[in-house]
Short mmCIF file of all heavy atoms in Angstrom, two decimals:
data_model
loop_
_atom_site.label_atom_id
_atom_site.label_comp_id
_atom_site.label_asym_id
_atom_site.label_seq_id
_atom_site.Cartn_x
_atom_site.Cartn_y
_atom_site.Cartn_z
N LEU A 886 -1.75 -1.82 21.68
CA LEU A 886 -2.95 -2.34 22.32
C LEU A 886 -2.82 -3.83 22.61
O LEU A 886 -3.19 -4.28 23.67
CB LEU A 886 -4.17 -2.06 21.44
CG LEU A 886 -5.51 -2.52 21.97
CD1 LEU A 886 -5.82 -1.83 23.29
CD2 LEU A 886 -6.59 -2.23 20.97
N ALA A 887 -2.25 -4.58 21.65
CA ALA A 887 -2.13 -6.03 21.82
C ALA A 887 -1.23 -6.37 23.01
O ALA A 887 -1.56 -7.24 23.81
CB ALA A 887 -1.60 -6.68 20.55
N LEU A 888 -0.10 -5.68 23.10
CA LEU A 888 0.83 -5.99 24.20
C LEU A 888 0.25 -5.57 25.54
O LEU A 888 0.43 -6.27 26.54
CB LEU A 888 2.17 -5.32 23.94
CG LEU A 888 2.87 -5.77 22.65
CD1 LEU A 888 4.19 -5.04 22.48
CD2 LEU A 888 3.06 -7.26 22.60
N ALA A 889 -0.46 -4.46 25.56
CA ALA A 889 -1.13 -4.03 26.80
C ALA A 889 -2.17 -5.06 27.21
O ALA A 889 -2.26 -5.41 28.39
CB ALA A 889 -1.76 -2.67 26.61
N ALA A 890 -2.94 -5.53 26.26
CA ALA A 890 -3.96 -6.54 26.56
C ALA A 890 -3.31 -7.79 27.11
O ALA A 890 -3.80 -8.39 28.08
CB ALA A 890 -4.79 -6.85 25.31
N ARG A 891 -2.19 -8.19 26.51
CA ARG A 891 -1.50 -9.40 26.99
C ARG A 891 -1.02 -9.19 28.42
O ARG A 891 -1.16 -10.08 29.26
CB ARG A 891 -0.34 -9.74 26.06
CG ARG A 891 0.29 -11.07 26.40
CD ARG A 891 1.31 -11.49 25.38
NE ARG A 891 2.49 -10.63 25.49
CZ ARG A 891 3.39 -10.51 24.54
NH1 ARG A 891 3.27 -11.15 23.39
NH2 ARG A 891 4.43 -9.74 24.70
N GLU A 892 -0.43 -8.03 28.70
CA GLU A 892 0.05 -7.74 30.05
C GLU A 892 -1.09 -7.72 31.07
O GLU A 892 -0.88 -8.03 32.24
CB GLU A 892 0.82 -6.44 30.08
CG GLU A 892 2.16 -6.50 29.35
CD GLU A 892 3.09 -7.56 29.90
OE1 GLU A 892 3.24 -7.66 31.13
OE2 GLU A 892 3.66 -8.31 29.10
N LEU A 893 -2.28 -7.37 30.61
CA LEU A 893 -3.45 -7.35 31.48
C LEU A 893 -4.17 -8.71 31.51
O LEU A 893 -5.25 -8.82 32.05
CB LEU A 893 -4.42 -6.25 31.05
CG LEU A 893 -3.87 -4.83 31.23
CD1 LEU A 893 -4.80 -3.83 30.55
CD2 LEU A 893 -3.71 -4.50 32.70
N HIS A 894 -3.54 -9.70 30.89
CA HIS A 894 -4.07 -11.06 30.83
C HIS A 894 -5.37 -11.17 30.05
O HIS A 894 -6.16 -12.07 30.28
CB HIS A 894 -4.21 -11.65 32.22
CG HIS A 894 -2.92 -11.63 32.99
ND1 HIS A 894 -1.89 -12.49 32.73
CD2 HIS A 894 -2.48 -10.81 33.97
CE1 HIS A 894 -0.88 -12.22 33.53
NE2 HIS A 894 -1.21 -11.20 34.30
N ASP A 895 -5.58 -10.24 29.14
CA ASP A 895 -6.72 -10.31 28.22
C ASP A 895 -6.20 -10.93 26.92
O ASP A 895 -5.99 -10.26 25.92
CB ASP A 895 -7.31 -8.92 27.98
CG ASP A 895 -8.57 -8.94 27.14
OD1 ASP A 895 -8.95 -10.04 26.66
OD2 ASP A 895 -9.18 -7.87 26.97
N ILE A 896 -5.95 -12.21 26.99
CA ILE A 896 -5.26 -12.92 25.91
C ILE A 896 -6.07 -12.91 24.62
O ILE A 896 -5.51 -12.75 23.54
CB ILE A 896 -4.93 -14.37 26.35
CG1 ILE A 896 -4.05 -14.36 27.61
CG2 ILE A 896 -4.28 -15.16 25.23
CD1 ILE A 896 -2.73 -13.63 27.46
N ASP A 897 -7.37 -13.07 24.71
CA ASP A 897 -8.18 -13.09 23.49
C ASP A 897 -8.12 -11.76 22.74
O ASP A 897 -8.02 -11.74 21.51
CB ASP A 897 -9.63 -13.47 23.80
CG ASP A 897 -9.74 -14.92 24.27
OD1 ASP A 897 -8.95 -15.76 23.80
OD2 ASP A 897 -10.64 -15.21 25.09
N THR A 898 -8.14 -10.65 23.48
CA THR A 898 -8.01 -9.35 22.83
C THR A 898 -6.62 -9.20 22.21
O THR A 898 -6.48 -8.71 21.10
CB THR A 898 -8.28 -8.21 23.83
OG1 THR A 898 -9.63 -8.31 24.28
CG2 THR A 898 -8.05 -6.85 23.20
N ALA A 899 -5.60 -9.64 22.93
CA ALA A 899 -4.24 -9.55 22.41
C ALA A 899 -4.12 -10.34 21.11
O ALA A 899 -3.53 -9.85 20.13
CB ALA A 899 -3.26 -10.08 23.45
N ILE A 900 -4.67 -11.53 21.06
CA ILE A 900 -4.61 -12.36 19.85
C ILE A 900 -5.33 -11.67 18.70
O ILE A 900 -4.81 -11.59 17.58
CB ILE A 900 -5.19 -13.77 20.13
CG1 ILE A 900 -4.22 -14.54 21.04
CG2 ILE A 900 -5.44 -14.52 18.82
CD1 ILE A 900 -4.79 -15.83 21.59
N ARG A 901 -6.50 -11.15 18.98
CA ARG A 901 -7.26 -10.46 17.94
C ARG A 901 -6.49 -9.26 17.39
O ARG A 901 -6.40 -9.07 16.17
CB ARG A 901 -8.62 -10.02 18.49
CG ARG A 901 -9.53 -9.39 17.46
CD ARG A 901 -10.92 -9.07 18.00
NE ARG A 901 -10.89 -8.23 19.19
CZ ARG A 901 -11.19 -8.65 20.44
NH1 ARG A 901 -11.56 -9.90 20.64
NH2 ARG A 901 -11.14 -7.83 21.47
N GLU A 902 -5.89 -8.46 18.25
CA GLU A 902 -5.16 -7.28 17.82
C GLU A 902 -3.87 -7.64 17.09
O GLU A 902 -3.48 -6.97 16.13
CB GLU A 902 -4.87 -6.37 19.02
CG GLU A 902 -6.10 -5.73 19.61
CD GLU A 902 -6.88 -4.89 18.61
OE1 GLU A 902 -6.27 -4.20 17.78
OE2 GLU A 902 -8.13 -4.94 18.65
N LEU A 903 -3.20 -8.68 17.52
CA LEU A 903 -1.99 -9.11 16.82
C LEU A 903 -2.32 -9.63 15.42
O LEU A 903 -1.59 -9.36 14.47
CB LEU A 903 -1.24 -10.17 17.64
CG LEU A 903 -0.52 -9.61 18.86
CD1 LEU A 903 -0.14 -10.73 19.82
CD2 LEU A 903 0.69 -8.80 18.43
N ARG A 904 -3.41 -10.34 15.30
CA ARG A 904 -3.82 -10.80 13.96
C ARG A 904 -4.17 -9.61 13.07
O ARG A 904 -3.87 -9.62 11.87
CB ARG A 904 -4.98 -11.79 14.08
CG ARG A 904 -4.52 -13.12 14.62
CD ARG A 904 -5.59 -14.18 14.59
NE ARG A 904 -5.00 -15.46 14.91
CZ ARG A 904 -5.56 -16.37 15.68
NH1 ARG A 904 -6.76 -16.18 16.16
NH2 ARG A 904 -4.95 -17.51 15.92
N ARG A 905 -4.76 -8.59 13.65
CA ARG A 905 -5.05 -7.38 12.89
C ARG A 905 -3.74 -6.72 12.44
O ARG A 905 -3.62 -6.26 11.31
CB ARG A 905 -5.87 -6.40 13.74
CG ARG A 905 -6.25 -5.14 12.96
CD ARG A 905 -7.08 -4.20 13.79
NE ARG A 905 -8.30 -4.89 14.21
CZ ARG A 905 -9.14 -4.44 15.13
NH1 ARG A 905 -8.90 -3.30 15.74
NH2 ARG A 905 -10.22 -5.11 15.44
N SER A 906 -2.76 -6.69 13.31
CA SER A 906 -1.45 -6.13 12.97
C SER A 906 -0.79 -6.91 11.83
O SER A 906 -0.18 -6.32 10.94
CB SER A 906 -0.52 -6.15 14.18
OG SER A 906 -1.02 -5.31 15.20
N ILE A 907 -0.93 -8.21 11.86
CA ILE A 907 -0.36 -9.05 10.80
C ILE A 907 -1.02 -8.73 9.47
O ILE A 907 -0.33 -8.54 8.46
CB ILE A 907 -0.52 -10.55 11.16
CG1 ILE A 907 0.41 -10.90 12.33
CG2 ILE A 907 -0.26 -11.44 9.95
CD1 ILE A 907 0.10 -12.24 12.98
N ARG A 908 -2.34 -8.63 9.46
CA ARG A 908 -3.04 -8.30 8.21
C ARG A 908 -2.63 -6.93 7.68
O ARG A 908 -2.42 -6.76 6.47
CB ARG A 908 -4.56 -8.35 8.42
CG ARG A 908 -5.12 -9.75 8.57
CD ARG A 908 -6.64 -9.77 8.52
NE ARG A 908 -7.26 -8.90 9.51
CZ ARG A 908 -7.55 -9.27 10.76
NH1 ARG A 908 -7.27 -10.48 11.18
NH2 ARG A 908 -8.13 -8.42 11.59
N THR A 909 -2.50 -5.96 8.57
CA THR A 909 -2.10 -4.61 8.16
C THR A 909 -0.70 -4.64 7.55
O THR A 909 -0.46 -4.03 6.49
CB THR A 909 -2.15 -3.65 9.36
OG1 THR A 909 -3.49 -3.62 9.85
CG2 THR A 909 -1.71 -2.26 8.97
N ALA A 910 0.23 -5.33 8.19
CA ALA A 910 1.59 -5.43 7.66
C ALA A 910 1.61 -6.14 6.32
O ALA A 910 2.34 -5.74 5.40
CB ALA A 910 2.48 -6.14 8.67
N GLN A 911 0.81 -7.18 6.18
CA GLN A 911 0.73 -7.90 4.90
C GLN A 911 0.26 -6.98 3.79
O GLN A 911 0.86 -6.94 2.71
CB GLN A 911 -0.22 -9.10 5.00
CG GLN A 911 0.33 -10.26 5.75
CD GLN A 911 -0.72 -11.34 5.97
OE1 GLN A 911 -1.91 -11.08 6.11
NE2 GLN A 911 -0.27 -12.58 5.99
N ARG A 912 -0.81 -6.24 4.04
CA ARG A 912 -1.36 -5.33 3.02
C ARG A 912 -0.35 -4.26 2.63
O ARG A 912 -0.31 -3.82 1.48
CB ARG A 912 -2.65 -4.69 3.51
CG ARG A 912 -3.83 -5.63 3.47
CD ARG A 912 -5.15 -4.89 3.67
NE ARG A 912 -5.24 -4.20 4.94
CZ ARG A 912 -5.74 -4.72 6.06
NH1 ARG A 912 -6.20 -5.95 6.06
NH2 ARG A 912 -5.79 -4.02 7.18
N ALA A 913 0.48 -3.83 3.58
CA ALA A 913 1.46 -2.79 3.32
C ALA A 913 2.78 -3.35 2.76
O ALA A 913 3.67 -2.57 2.42
CB ALA A 913 1.74 -2.01 4.60
N GLY A 914 2.88 -4.67 2.67
CA GLY A 914 4.10 -5.27 2.15
C GLY A 914 5.28 -5.17 3.10
O GLY A 914 6.43 -5.13 2.67
N LEU A 915 5.00 -5.13 4.39
CA LEU A 915 6.04 -4.99 5.41
C LEU A 915 6.35 -6.35 6.04
O LEU A 915 5.85 -6.68 7.13
CB LEU A 915 5.60 -3.98 6.47
CG LEU A 915 5.29 -2.58 5.95
CD1 LEU A 915 4.65 -1.73 7.03
CD2 LEU A 915 6.56 -1.94 5.41
N ALA A 916 7.14 -7.14 5.36
CA ALA A 916 7.40 -8.52 5.77
C ALA A 916 8.03 -8.62 7.16
O ALA A 916 7.69 -9.51 7.95
CB ALA A 916 8.27 -9.22 4.74
N VAL A 917 8.97 -7.74 7.46
CA VAL A 917 9.63 -7.82 8.78
C VAL A 917 8.65 -7.45 9.88
O VAL A 917 8.60 -8.11 10.92
CB VAL A 917 10.89 -6.93 8.82
CG1 VAL A 917 11.49 -6.89 10.21
CG2 VAL A 917 11.93 -7.44 7.82
N ARG A 918 7.85 -6.42 9.67
CA ARG A 918 6.85 -6.04 10.68
C ARG A 918 5.82 -7.15 10.86
O ARG A 918 5.39 -7.43 11.98
CB ARG A 918 6.13 -4.75 10.29
CG ARG A 918 7.02 -3.55 10.27
CD ARG A 918 7.46 -3.19 11.69
NE ARG A 918 8.28 -2.00 11.67
CZ ARG A 918 9.53 -1.97 12.07
NH1 ARG A 918 10.11 -3.05 12.53
NH2 ARG A 918 10.22 -0.86 12.02
N GLU A 919 5.45 -7.79 9.77
CA GLU A 919 4.53 -8.93 9.86
C GLU A 919 5.15 -10.03 10.71
O GLU A 919 4.51 -10.59 11.60
CB GLU A 919 4.20 -9.46 8.47
CG GLU A 919 3.35 -10.69 8.49
CD GLU A 919 3.17 -11.32 7.12
OE1 GLU A 919 3.45 -10.68 6.09
OE2 GLU A 919 2.75 -12.50 7.10
N ALA A 920 6.42 -10.32 10.45
CA ALA A 920 7.11 -11.37 11.21
C ALA A 920 7.22 -11.01 12.68
O ALA A 920 7.07 -11.87 13.55
CB ALA A 920 8.49 -11.62 10.60
N GLU A 921 7.48 -9.74 12.99
CA GLU A 921 7.55 -9.31 14.38
C GLU A 921 6.21 -9.49 15.08
O GLU A 921 6.15 -9.95 16.23
CB GLU A 921 8.01 -7.86 14.46
CG GLU A 921 9.45 -7.66 14.06
CD GLU A 921 9.84 -6.21 13.86
OE1 GLU A 921 8.95 -5.33 13.76
OE2 GLU A 921 11.05 -5.96 13.79
N ALA A 922 5.14 -9.16 14.39
CA ALA A 922 3.80 -9.36 14.96
C ALA A 922 3.53 -10.86 15.16
O ALA A 922 2.93 -11.26 16.16
CB ALA A 922 2.74 -8.73 14.07
N ARG A 923 3.99 -11.67 14.22
CA ARG A 923 3.83 -13.12 14.36
C ARG A 923 4.61 -13.65 15.56
O ARG A 923 4.16 -14.57 16.25
CB ARG A 923 4.24 -13.84 13.09
CG ARG A 923 3.26 -13.69 11.97
CD ARG A 923 3.61 -14.56 10.77
NE ARG A 923 2.75 -14.25 9.66
CZ ARG A 923 1.49 -14.66 9.53
NH1 ARG A 923 0.94 -15.39 10.46
NH2 ARG A 923 0.78 -14.31 8.46
N MET A 924 5.81 -13.07 15.82
CA MET A 924 6.57 -13.48 17.00
C MET A 924 5.78 -13.18 18.27
O MET A 924 5.72 -14.02 19.18
CB MET A 924 7.92 -12.73 17.04
CG MET A 924 8.94 -13.27 16.07
SD MET A 924 10.48 -12.32 16.10
CE MET A 924 10.91 -12.30 17.82
N SER A 925 5.17 -12.02 18.33
CA SER A 925 4.35 -11.67 19.50
C SER A 925 3.13 -12.58 19.60
O SER A 925 2.76 -13.02 20.70
CB SER A 925 3.91 -10.21 19.43
OG SER A 925 5.01 -9.36 19.59
N LEU A 926 2.53 -12.86 18.46
CA LEU A 926 1.38 -13.77 18.46
C LEU A 926 1.80 -15.17 18.92
O LEU A 926 1.08 -15.82 19.67
CB LEU A 926 0.74 -13.82 17.06
CG LEU A 926 -0.47 -14.73 16.91
CD1 LEU A 926 -1.58 -14.36 17.90
CD2 LEU A 926 -0.98 -14.68 15.47
N CYS A 927 2.97 -15.60 18.49
CA CYS A 927 3.51 -16.90 18.90
C CYS A 927 3.58 -16.98 20.43
O CYS A 927 3.10 -17.95 21.03
CB CYS A 927 4.89 -17.09 18.26
SG CYS A 927 5.76 -18.57 18.79
N LEU A 928 4.17 -15.98 21.05
CA LEU A 928 4.28 -15.95 22.50
C LEU A 928 2.92 -15.93 23.17
O LEU A 928 2.67 -16.65 24.13
CB LEU A 928 5.11 -14.74 22.93
CG LEU A 928 5.25 -14.52 24.42
CD1 LEU A 928 5.98 -15.69 25.07
CD2 LEU A 928 5.98 -13.22 24.69
N THR A 929 2.02 -15.13 22.64
CA THR A 929 0.68 -15.00 23.22
C THR A 929 -0.09 -16.31 23.12
O THR A 929 -0.75 -16.73 24.07
CB THR A 929 -0.07 -13.84 22.55
OG1 THR A 929 0.72 -12.65 22.65
CG2 THR A 929 -1.42 -13.61 23.21
N LEU A 930 0.00 -16.96 21.97
CA LEU A 930 -0.67 -18.25 21.81
C LEU A 930 -0.08 -19.30 22.74
O LEU A 930 -0.81 -20.13 23.30
CB LEU A 930 -0.56 -18.72 20.35
CG LEU A 930 -1.42 -17.94 19.35
CD1 LEU A 930 -0.98 -18.25 17.92
CD2 LEU A 930 -2.90 -18.24 19.53
N ALA A 931 1.23 -19.25 22.93
CA ALA A 931 1.87 -20.18 23.87
C ALA A 931 1.36 -19.94 25.29
O ALA A 931 1.09 -20.89 26.03
CB ALA A 931 3.38 -20.06 23.79
N TRP A 932 1.24 -18.66 25.68
CA TRP A 932 0.70 -18.34 27.00
C TRP A 932 -0.71 -18.87 27.16
O TRP A 932 -1.09 -19.29 28.24
CB TRP A 932 0.71 -16.84 27.23
CG TRP A 932 2.04 -16.28 27.59
CD1 TRP A 932 3.21 -16.95 27.75
CD2 TRP A 932 2.34 -14.92 27.84
NE1 TRP A 932 4.22 -16.08 28.06
CE2 TRP A 932 3.72 -14.83 28.13
CE3 TRP A 932 1.57 -13.76 27.82
CZ2 TRP A 932 4.34 -13.64 28.42
CZ3 TRP A 932 2.20 -12.56 28.11
CH2 TRP A 932 3.57 -12.50 28.41
N LYS A 933 -1.45 -18.87 26.07
CA LYS A 933 -2.84 -19.38 26.10
C LYS A 933 -2.85 -20.91 26.18
O LYS A 933 -3.86 -21.50 26.54
CB LYS A 933 -3.60 -18.90 24.87
CG LYS A 933 -5.06 -19.25 24.89
CD LYS A 933 -5.79 -18.68 23.72
CE LYS A 933 -7.26 -19.08 23.80
NZ LYS A 933 -8.05 -18.50 22.74
N GLY A 934 -1.73 -21.53 25.83
CA GLY A 934 -1.65 -22.99 25.86
C GLY A 934 -1.84 -23.64 24.50
O GLY A 934 -1.89 -24.86 24.39
N ASP A 935 -1.92 -22.85 23.45
CA ASP A 935 -2.10 -23.36 22.09
C ASP A 935 -0.74 -23.46 21.40
O ASP A 935 -0.39 -22.67 20.54
CB ASP A 935 -3.04 -22.45 21.31
CG ASP A 935 -3.52 -23.07 20.00
OD1 ASP A 935 -2.93 -24.10 19.58
OD2 ASP A 935 -4.45 -22.52 19.41
N THR A 936 0.02 -24.47 21.80
CA THR A 936 1.39 -24.59 21.29
C THR A 936 1.46 -24.93 19.80
O THR A 936 2.38 -24.48 19.12
CB THR A 936 2.19 -25.64 22.08
OG1 THR A 936 1.48 -26.87 22.09
CG2 THR A 936 2.40 -25.17 23.52
N VAL A 937 0.49 -25.64 19.30
CA VAL A 937 0.49 -25.97 17.87
C VAL A 937 0.36 -24.70 17.03
O VAL A 937 1.12 -24.47 16.10
CB VAL A 937 -0.64 -26.98 17.52
CG1 VAL A 937 -0.77 -27.17 16.03
CG2 VAL A 937 -0.37 -28.31 18.21
N ALA A 938 -0.59 -23.84 17.40
CA ALA A 938 -0.76 -22.58 16.68
C ALA A 938 0.45 -21.68 16.88
O ALA A 938 0.87 -20.97 15.96
CB ALA A 938 -2.04 -21.88 17.14
N ALA A 939 1.03 -21.68 18.08
CA ALA A 939 2.22 -20.87 18.35
C ALA A 939 3.38 -21.29 17.44
O ALA A 939 4.04 -20.44 16.83
CB ALA A 939 2.62 -20.99 19.82
N LEU A 940 3.61 -22.58 17.32
CA LEU A 940 4.69 -23.07 16.46
C LEU A 940 4.42 -22.76 15.00
O LEU A 940 5.34 -22.46 14.23
CB LEU A 940 4.90 -24.56 16.69
CG LEU A 940 5.49 -24.93 18.04
CD1 LEU A 940 5.46 -26.44 18.24
CD2 LEU A 940 6.90 -24.38 18.19
N ARG A 941 3.17 -22.80 14.60
CA ARG A 941 2.80 -22.46 13.22
C ARG A 941 3.17 -21.00 12.94
O ARG A 941 3.73 -20.68 11.88
CB ARG A 941 1.31 -22.70 13.01
CG ARG A 941 0.88 -22.63 11.57
CD ARG A 941 -0.59 -23.03 11.37
NE ARG A 941 -1.03 -24.08 12.27
CZ ARG A 941 -2.08 -23.99 13.10
NH1 ARG A 941 -2.82 -22.91 13.13
NH2 ARG A 941 -2.40 -24.99 13.88
N GLN A 942 2.89 -20.11 13.88
CA GLN A 942 3.23 -18.70 13.70
C GLN A 942 4.74 -18.50 13.67
O GLN A 942 5.25 -17.69 12.88
CB GLN A 942 2.59 -17.83 14.79
CG GLN A 942 1.10 -17.75 14.71
CD GLN A 942 0.60 -17.20 13.39
OE1 GLN A 942 1.17 -16.26 12.83
NE2 GLN A 942 -0.47 -17.79 12.88
N ALA A 943 5.46 -19.24 14.48
CA ALA A 943 6.92 -19.15 14.47
C ALA A 943 7.47 -19.57 13.12
O ALA A 943 8.37 -18.91 12.57
CB ALA A 943 7.51 -20.02 15.59
N ASP A 944 6.94 -20.65 12.58
CA ASP A 944 7.38 -21.11 11.25
C ASP A 944 7.10 -20.07 10.17
O ASP A 944 7.90 -19.89 9.25
CB ASP A 944 6.69 -22.42 10.89
CG ASP A 944 7.22 -23.61 11.67
OD1 ASP A 944 8.31 -23.51 12.26
OD2 ASP A 944 6.53 -24.65 11.69
N ARG A 945 5.98 -19.38 10.28
CA ARG A 945 5.63 -18.37 9.28
C ARG A 945 6.47 -17.10 9.44
O ARG A 945 6.73 -16.39 8.47
CB ARG A 945 4.14 -18.04 9.36
CG ARG A 945 3.29 -19.24 8.92
CD ARG A 945 1.84 -18.92 8.88
NE ARG A 945 1.57 -18.04 7.73
CZ ARG A 945 0.38 -17.54 7.47
NH1 ARG A 945 -0.64 -17.82 8.27
NH2 ARG A 945 0.20 -16.77 6.44
N ALA A 946 6.91 -16.81 10.65
CA ALA A 946 7.71 -15.61 10.91
C ALA A 946 9.17 -15.80 10.48
O ALA A 946 9.81 -14.85 10.00
CB ALA A 946 7.66 -15.24 12.39
N ALA A 947 9.69 -16.98 10.65
CA ALA A 947 11.12 -17.23 10.50
C ALA A 947 11.75 -16.73 9.19
O ALA A 947 12.82 -16.12 9.24
CB ALA A 947 11.41 -18.72 10.69
N PRO A 948 11.15 -16.96 8.03
CA PRO A 948 11.83 -16.55 6.79
C PRO A 948 12.14 -15.06 6.67
O PRO A 948 13.12 -14.69 6.02
CB PRO A 948 10.86 -16.98 5.68
CG PRO A 948 10.04 -18.06 6.30
CD PRO A 948 9.91 -17.68 7.74
N ALA A 949 11.37 -14.21 7.32
CA ALA A 949 11.57 -12.76 7.19
C ALA A 949 12.51 -12.20 8.24
O ALA A 949 12.89 -11.04 8.17
CB ALA A 949 10.23 -12.04 7.27
N LEU A 950 12.90 -13.01 9.21
CA LEU A 950 13.70 -12.50 10.32
C LEU A 950 15.18 -12.76 10.11
O LEU A 950 15.57 -13.76 9.53
CB LEU A 950 13.24 -13.16 11.63
CG LEU A 950 11.81 -12.88 12.03
CD1 LEU A 950 11.43 -13.72 13.23
CD2 LEU A 950 11.61 -11.41 12.32
N ARG A 951 15.97 -11.84 10.63
CA ARG A 951 17.44 -11.93 10.57
C ARG A 951 18.01 -11.52 11.92
O ARG A 951 17.33 -10.90 12.74
CB ARG A 951 18.00 -10.98 9.50
CG ARG A 951 17.48 -11.20 8.10
CD ARG A 951 18.12 -12.44 7.46
NE ARG A 951 17.60 -12.69 6.13
CZ ARG A 951 16.58 -13.47 5.84
NH1 ARG A 951 15.92 -14.08 6.79
NH2 ARG A 951 16.19 -13.66 4.60
N GLY A 952 19.24 -11.83 12.14
CA GLY A 952 19.97 -11.36 13.30
C GLY A 952 19.34 -11.73 14.63
O GLY A 952 18.94 -12.87 14.86
N LEU A 953 19.27 -10.73 15.50
CA LEU A 953 18.79 -10.93 16.86
C LEU A 953 17.35 -11.45 16.89
O LEU A 953 17.03 -12.34 17.70
CB LEU A 953 18.91 -9.63 17.66
CG LEU A 953 18.58 -9.71 19.14
CD1 LEU A 953 19.46 -10.74 19.83
CD2 LEU A 953 18.76 -8.34 19.79
N ASP A 954 16.48 -10.91 16.05
CA ASP A 954 15.09 -11.39 16.03
C ASP A 954 15.02 -12.86 15.66
O ASP A 954 14.26 -13.62 16.25
CB ASP A 954 14.23 -10.56 15.08
CG ASP A 954 13.85 -9.21 15.67
OD1 ASP A 954 13.82 -9.10 16.92
OD2 ASP A 954 13.58 -8.29 14.89
N ARG A 955 15.82 -13.28 14.69
CA ARG A 955 15.83 -14.69 14.31
C ARG A 955 16.34 -15.55 15.46
O ARG A 955 15.81 -16.63 15.73
CB ARG A 955 16.70 -14.87 13.05
CG ARG A 955 16.79 -16.27 12.52
CD ARG A 955 15.42 -16.70 11.94
NE ARG A 955 15.48 -18.03 11.39
CZ ARG A 955 15.46 -18.31 10.10
NH1 ARG A 955 15.37 -17.34 9.23
NH2 ARG A 955 15.48 -19.54 9.70
N ALA A 956 17.36 -15.07 16.15
CA ALA A 956 17.90 -15.81 17.28
C ALA A 956 16.87 -15.91 18.40
O ALA A 956 16.72 -16.97 19.03
CB ALA A 956 19.17 -15.13 17.80
N ARG A 957 16.16 -14.83 18.66
CA ARG A 957 15.11 -14.85 19.69
C ARG A 957 14.04 -15.87 19.36
O ARG A 957 13.55 -16.59 20.22
CB ARG A 957 14.49 -13.47 19.83
CG ARG A 957 15.32 -12.51 20.58
CD ARG A 957 14.58 -11.19 20.74
NE ARG A 957 15.43 -10.23 21.40
CZ ARG A 957 15.51 -8.96 21.07
NH1 ARG A 957 14.80 -8.48 20.07
NH2 ARG A 957 16.31 -8.16 21.72
N LEU A 958 13.66 -15.91 18.12
CA LEU A 958 12.63 -16.87 17.69
C LEU A 958 13.13 -18.30 17.86
O LEU A 958 12.40 -19.16 18.34
CB LEU A 958 12.25 -16.63 16.22
CG LEU A 958 11.15 -17.52 15.67
CD1 LEU A 958 9.83 -17.25 16.39
CD2 LEU A 958 11.00 -17.30 14.19
N SER A 959 14.38 -18.53 17.55
CA SER A 959 14.95 -19.89 17.63
C SER A 959 15.13 -20.37 19.06
O SER A 959 15.06 -21.56 19.31
CB SER A 959 16.30 -19.93 16.91
OG SER A 959 16.11 -19.65 15.55
N THR A 960 15.38 -19.44 19.99
CA THR A 960 15.64 -19.83 21.36
C THR A 960 14.47 -19.58 22.29
O THR A 960 14.49 -20.01 23.42
CB THR A 960 16.86 -19.08 21.93
OG1 THR A 960 16.60 -17.68 21.92
CG2 THR A 960 18.12 -19.39 21.15
N GLY A 961 13.45 -18.85 21.78
CA GLY A 961 12.32 -18.42 22.57
C GLY A 961 11.61 -19.48 23.26
O GLY A 961 11.03 -19.52 24.22
#
């Protein structure tokens, strides 16, 4: 839903749904899934123009990421 909302330029809905995904992953102890949702939130916040919040999400995602996802975050 979050990615569809983002593609439809409904950025506020996308942000709300991504934050919901982050909370769900946290409760389930799924650190990598949480980090992946944070990566998507980072991009969405950047599209909205909130670069400070986007960078904050990138910093929070980084520790759980490895390999290609970590590289994407670093070069994104």
Side-chain angles (χ1 to χ4, degrees):
L886 181 61
L888 300 179
R891 188 172 70 198
E892 290 302 314
L893 293 170
H894 304 285
D895 185 355
I896 301 301
D897 292 328
T898 297
I900 289 170
R901 184 175 55 252
E902 292 302 321
L903 286 165
R904 287 187 171 140
R905 183 179 301 168
S906 296
I907 290 166
R908 287 190 304 272
T909 300
Q911 285 173 328
R912 284 192 300 269
L915 301 170
V917 174
R918 295 292 182 241
E919 176 188 344
E921 291 168 346
R923 286 188 188 282
M924 284 178 52
S925 291
L926 180 57
C927 175
L928 177 62
T929 305
L930 288 166
W932 281 359
K933 186 176 180 177
D935 193 347
T936 54
V937 172
L940 290 172
R941 191 174 325 125
Q942 292 302 319
D944 287 343
R945 292 185 72 184
L950 297 173
R951 302 284 178 268
L953 186 57
D954 283 335
R955 181 69 178 252
R957 284 184 183 139
L958 182 64
S959 297
T960 61

